[in-house]
Amino acid sequence: MNQPSASCPALFISAPASGQGKTTLTAGLARLLRNQGKVVRVFKTGPDYLDPQILAQASGQPVDQLDLWMAGEAYCRQRFYEAAIEADLILVEGAMGLHDGEPSSADLAALFGIPMAIVMDVKGMAQTAAALVTGLAGFRDDIHVAGLIANNCGSQRHRELIEGALPDTLPFLAAVPRDPELTLPERHLGLVQAEEIRFELEVRFEAAAQALEAAGLLDALATLSPISFSAPTEALAAVPQALTGHTIGVARDAAFSFIYQANLDVLAQMGARVRFFSPLADADLPECDALWLPGGYPELHAQALAANTAMLDAIRGFFRAGNPILAECGGMLYSLETLTDYAENTHPMLGLLPGHGAMRGRRGCQGMQTAELPEGPIRGHAHHRSMAGQTPEPIAYGRRQRHPAPGEPIYRAGRLTATYLHLFFPNNPAAVARLFSHAPGNDSAQATAASSHIEESFHAVK
């Protein structure tokens, strides 16, 4: 049976490494086309939270993360097909260097036949830039490199030196001048969240759009041929209607914002109603049957989180009542007894789980892992620069993608599930439904013991 398909031009924005300006140029290009009335659908390779926030604001469209291991080929194929139906152009921003990772950006581009533009920061080099991009393009024969975008180009002569050294098979697409006004702000886990600097981002998007238009990048886009994206032949993971009638309270504010739109979509497909709340600003929880405390930057807002005692008490009461709670990374730090920030100030947190969190400078942990939960395995990833100590014995560990050592610990206290792992709900919707549902047969003794611990730890750090 022939699968339905849709055609749309597409371009994959990659680079030899992180820090070359991929997000800045992808956002600027999306804004340039949006200003011309075009519908641009942007995707981000890998399990990134911050870049998609930036790209969504620039394009005015939702941005999905695509990862062949975490999400699977069928999921990626379905998202490309749906985007091609409505878009005038599809942009994909790569992760790290184009050949880094297993799977890599090059793997995704090759699978779907998307041409790659290589963004390179050429400051401090000339003909060497041409040599590097030639090597990247020829590293494997199943990708098509559309050409080079030279970022931080110093002058017309600088451009001529690079362009003159490129082989005829590698076009010089554009030279973007050095301009600090185009650079996006960063912090310890990557870019600053879009919600924090929306006005500043608007200024930078428009500046980048003007720079790319002046550089002639639209001429290169005009040569792109439409790509046929077919719906997947294999079925996506079944989405059970197991949460019909359930309401999931989701923490979302400046402290907790690492939320895949795909996760929210899966909850809705399972029949759940999502209600957002702010642990920073709200005094009480919305009426809900389960809580999701996602990752984010609680370390930057630890004092305010600790000061909102009404919310702390509300979540503690929700936990005592035996309701399901999923706490991921920053949400797990919030669930511990205390959190020590970068200034080495220690703040009381929820105390749902024994242990203490602390930031640890530039050192961190990241990687793709499968959470081996009693409800079923769910793929996801870890990315943090903190540590949790004096925690209880884990119920399980994450299984690393390509390494035999145990991954991130997974804790359980009552109906609280806490881990550094960020879960990708579409990977196993049935397990997610079991995680958030009020399943029979819960360990009431464990819940009672955990509830007693809340009182002890709260008074200890009060």
Side-chain angles (χ1 to χ4, degrees), residues 3 28 99 103 109 127 355 372 411 449:
Q3 295 299 112
H99 296 299
Q127 290 90 342
E372 297 289 355
Y411 305 103

Side-chain angles (χ1 to χ4, degrees), residues 87-126:
D88 296 300
L89 177 72
I90 292 173
L91 292 176
V92 186
E93 185 197 339
M96 302 181 292
L98 75 164
H99 296 299
D100 293 329
E102 297 181 62
S104 65
S105 294
D107 290 327
L108 186 65
L111 180 62
F112 293 98
I114 303 174
M116 306 184 83
I118 297 179
V119 175
M120 185 182 297
D121 186 337
V122 298
K123 183 179 180 181
M125 69 175 92

